[in-house]
Amino acid sequence: MKTIDELLAEGVQGKRVFVRADLNVPLDGGRITDDGRIRAVQPTIAKLAEAGARVIVASHLGRPKGAPDPAFSLAPAAARLGELLGAEVAFATDTVGTSAKETVAALADGEVAVLENLRFNAGETAKDDAERGAFADRLAELADVYVGDGFGAVHRKHASVFDLPARLPHAAGFLIATEVGVLKKLTAEVKRPYVVVLGGAKVSDKLAVIDELLGKADRLLIGGGMAYTFLKAKGYEVGISLLQEDQLDKVTEYMERAEKNGVELVLPVDVLVSGEFPDLKTKAPADFETVDADKIPADKEGLDIGPRTRELYASKIADAETVFWNGPVGVFEHPDYAHGTKAVAQALVDSGAFTVVGGGDSAAAVRILGFDENAFGHISTGGGASLEYLEGKTLPGLAALEG
């Protein structure tokens, strides 16, 4: 995989460099609530601009239906990128149309432009190779060189991620190089004890990575909505908690395999439960009680791990040399149910281990809960991409950069 340092050494002054970034930031109206992904790609963009490239930044945001939708415009991200760069960033109001062509043509050496949301064109995500390739051809007309630095999208076989690098000289940006280096420390170069914390809503989202980790991790700590399928598999009442009954047999098999392989699989011993889901907009005080994990009332829902579980999980993380964490262990968006997720984050900080926060909601949580990002070994920009790498899958975006 060619690095950006090699690309810079060859010289990029005056060249149109297409940077596939991941600017898929959460928005509240037009306000960015977490700019972590923009900050993560800023070093690559800044270095290219400094070297005199004419930088064209492209990304997706959200899941528009292959047509323009103002709710998913990248305009706020372009404005924030300009603030971080300390320079004006031009914005094209389309992806490959008149505005994109005119905006790119107007760039001088060292200037930066952002194209509108790639997913406003159906060709970006098309399953049909020809349709996707046709869109990649039009993107290629805008640039001389391709730099892949959108790690959060490398597991997608999309036009700008997979097809475009085949049409242009290409290299990996600083962020992708960092992410891949970190993931190698979680696969090929693991320091033990190796502890993995998995949370989030659905156990089905994590089946493949659990399957892989049962042969690699020393401990698996399970929390979040997915924990209730494990508790149900143990024969416990889980009330109206999140439950995937179709995964009970698979979860039972995993628990048996963990025991056979000597992998410690740790489940909640107590949980916070309520009869109603909390109001995440006003964050009005929640009505909850703490119960043992095997005594969840039939009319209650588990929404966070309890205080004994927080202490248990912290103790299981304390002596780790490597920790990977993906998925909050409670409804952290509400302060009454954020204690478990905050406790896990604090345990990572206190452990002295090489710690990786696996993107997505986990990355958002550590920022929202006020943690210093530098207190962690690495905060990934791609939750899905990180998980698929750990599963041993070939990621289309990385394969394209290696080609």
Side-chain angles (χ1 to χ4, degrees), residues 88-110:
E88 185 175 349
V89 169
F91 182 66
T93 57
D94 56 29
T95 55
V96 290
T98 301
S99 180
K101 292 173 183 175
E102 291 179 349
T103 301
V104 171
L107 287 174
D109 293 2

Side-chain angles (χ1 to χ4, degrees), residues 135-155:
F135 182 50
D137 287 339
R138 296 181 70 188
L139 290 173
E141 292 172 3
L142 299 172
D144 305 304
V145 180
Y146 177 94
V147 172
D149 215 28
F151 180 73
V154 294
H155 59 314

